[in-house]
Each structure stands twice: as structure tokens, then as C-alpha cells.
Amino acid sequence: MRAPLAISMGDPAGIGPEIIAKAWARRAEAGLPPFFATGDARAISAVWDGPVAAITHPEMATAVFEAALPILTVEDGGEIVPGSPDVEGARCALRALELAAGLARSGAARALVTGPVSKVQLYQIGFSYPGQTEFVAERCGIAGENAVMMLAGPDLRVVPITTHVPLAAVSGLLSIDLLVAKGRATARGLMRNFGILNPRIAFAGFNPHAGESGAIGREEIDVIAPAVAQLRAEGIDASGPFAADTMFHARARVTYDAALCCYHDQALVPLKTLYFDDGVNITLGLPIVRTSPDHGTAFNIAGKNVAEPGAMIAAIRMAGEAAERRAAADDA
């Protein structure tokens, strides 16, 4: 029997508890594999009146999954008020993340799905990572630069080569070694998590019109093109750099399996425009499967029963499918 998936609840004052509960309620129609949540069970009961089952070990989750949402409780998060985050909630979110990541790393859970957290609150309790991706990578013994954040929708996958940095700093951060490392990790991730045997990766240019042969910038000539050439020499089907403003229409999207973009918004604007309600963040380069819904805590709507669970459902489904592909490959 396959182990269940672990879902860290995220900030208890955000929409994480609500969308996890709604995902469980739609488990049959969505075809979701068994999962359990880690966090404060009161955060679920504050926004949902459905059945909950307290468990003490992941093995218990599968047995109760059809009848109730299994929850592996961590220490309580203080007073929980949907829409009103505080540092106690942040501590609870971090404990839930640590527990779920550890269970996935040990094999007690076969994948990790992370609910949305508030980095503003986490920073107040000493959290020193740019995001959950880097935290999970460290817990898995992987250097942060070797963990690749991919955002995925039904027919678009994007990888931001740089993530949460000022736009003015991006050019100085781009290097041939960085692009090659991200390209390798992306190609491996597409094979391992998505079952794509010969992945095609396309690089977006940094400047408008991909620099127009150096007329409006040399990053394409000095950094991106040499990185593409090195990846191709290694047998990876890499192409580019392409003008970013023509990479994301429907005809262009069928020519590659993932687009690597120079900076955060270059990648996330097209993905969120197309798939705002069902985009998934999947981390490549880890020894475990990790996904998350591609949205934040949405404190402004927490507790109002209007949060859409589509992205959480997609994240759970993608985690289960990736875990199955990995298991099948390992068995073979």
C-alpha cells in the first residue's frame, strides 16, 4: 500500500485550512489520493463543519480517509481568527511544515504539499529563508540553488531562474553556470516528475525582443546563448533565447515542455494569467515530491467560505501523479 500524502496547513489564519477541507470534500470527483493535514485542527473547524479524524501516525490516514479528513495535530497555534495572522500562527505553520517535510523525507508520506504561509509573519519568528522552497530543500540536504521552482498549469510550465530578488539585481545574478544548472535540473525534473522522456526546454531572453542582437542589451549574447549551447552539447534539447513577449501564446506553448525565464514576473505573469485558479508550484531537484498551490494566504477572504480550492486540488493531484511516476521508475 502506498503511503498517503502530507499537506502542511500553512498559516492557520489564511485560506489553507479551508482549501484543504474543500479538497477533501471533492476527493472522489477530483480523483485525489489519500492525504492527511499537519497543523492545528482548530483552524479547520473554524472554517468548516465537515468530519475530521485525529491521527497519530500517517499510516492511520488511509484507513479513515474516505470517512473524514485526517489531521496530524501539532502544538496549538494560539488563538485562531481567520483573516487575523499573528506570530503564534506563524510558529504553528512552521511546525506543521517541519513535521510534514520530515515525514515525506522519511518515506512515511510519499509526497509533500505545502499550504500558503505568510513570510511577513515567519520573518518575525526568525525564519531566514526566501520561501518554503529553500526551507524544504535544506531539510532534504539540497543546496538552495539546486532546487528549482517550477510553476505548472495544464499546458504551460515555467521556471523563474531568479526568484525573490529586486528586478534591478537580476542582470548581475545571471550567469552561464546558473542557467546551465537550472536547465539540467529542469530537464531531469520533467523526466522524473512528468514522465517526459525527451524534454524540450526554451529560454526567454532578458531584454525586450531578446536584445535585438545586442542593440538593447548583451545578456542574451554573453550569458543565455552560451548556456543553451552548453546544454545542447550535453544532449539536452535546449533552445533560445526567445523574445519573451512571443513565447506564451498557444502556438508557441506547444513547441516546448518548459520555459525558463530570467526573473520572477517574466515567468509568473503568463502562468497566473492563464491558470490563476489551478496553477501549481512544484519543486524540482529534491529527493522528495513537493508541490503547493500557486497563491498566497489571502487573509482578506479567509473565513468567508469563498476560497477556491482548484489550485490545492491540482497540487495534490500533481503530487500524487509525480510520486507514482517516481515509484514506478524505482520499481522498474
Side-chain angles (χ1 to χ4, degrees), residues 47-323:
V47 296
W48 187 62
D49 59 2
V52 170
I55 62 172
T56 57
H57 192 277
E59 290 180 353
M60 300 170 62
T62 302
V64 303
F65 183 72
E66 287 307 314
L69 169 60
I71 300 180
L72 190 55
T73 300
V74 301
E75 297 176 35
D76 72 68
E79 183 181 5
I80 296 173
V81 180
S84 299
D86 57 28
V87 294
E88 288 304 316
R91 290 190 180 94
C92 182
L94 183 55
R95 288 192 292 265
L97 175 61
E98 288 179 314
L99 175 59
L103 292 171
R105 189 72 181 94
S106 71
R110 64 189 174 109
L112 168 66
V113 181
T114 57
V117 297
S118 167
K119 285 184 284 187
V120 172
Q121 298 298 325
L122 285 172
Y123 292 154
Q124 294 187 55
I125 62 169
F127 189 80
S128 59
Y129 303 86
Q132 294 188 95
T133 296
E134 293 80 7
F135 176 88
V136 173
E138 183 183 88
R139 287 299 189 271
C140 292
I142 302 297
E145 61 268 21
N146 294 327
V148 173
M149 181 173 73
M150 173 181 282
L151 295 308
D155 70 348
L156 176 64
R157 304 180 190 92
V158 294
V159 171
I161 294 169
T162 62
T163 51
H164 303 118
V165 298
L167 187 57
V170 171
S171 178
L173 295 172
L174 297 176
S175 69
I176 295 172
D177 287 345
L178 176 63
L179 270 64
V180 168
K182 296 293 186 181
R184 288 174 182 151
T186 299
R188 288 195 300 268
L190 288 168
M191 288 187 283
R192 193 173 188 195
N193 294 301
F194 294 91
I196 300 172
L197 297 180
N198 298 295
R200 303 162 300 164
I201 60 174
F203 283 79
F206 174 71
N207 296 293
H209 304 169
E212 290 189 353
S213 301
I216 49 176
R218 292 194 54 86
E219 285 84 358
E220 290 77 12
I221 296 170
D222 295 338
V223 179
I224 304 175
V228 170
Q230 183 172 332
L231 290 166
R232 292 189 66 82
E234 296 177 7
I236 295 173
D237 187 353
S239 59
F242 299 110
D245 62 350
T246 59
M247 280 188 67
F248 300 107
H249 61 81
R251 293 192 304 277
R253 294 199 300 273
V254 301
T255 65
Y256 55 80
D257 298 302
L260 283 84
C261 303
C262 293
Y263 52 92
H264 182 278
D265 286 9
Q266 191 181 56
L268 272 69
V269 166
L271 191 285
K272 289 192 174 183
T273 298
L274 291 169
Y275 303 116
F276 187 80
D277 288 327
D278 54 1
V280 176
N281 179 343
I282 179 168
T283 306
L284 309 180
L286 300 180
I288 64 171
V289 173
R290 181 261 174 158
T291 67
S292 69
D294 185 29
H295 60 66
T297 51
F299 292 125
N300 60 310
I301 62 170
K304 298 180 180 179
N305 195 30
V306 296
E308 284 293 330
M312 176 59 79
I313 289 171
I316 296 168
R317 183 185 297 114
M318 185 177 292
E321 291 171 350

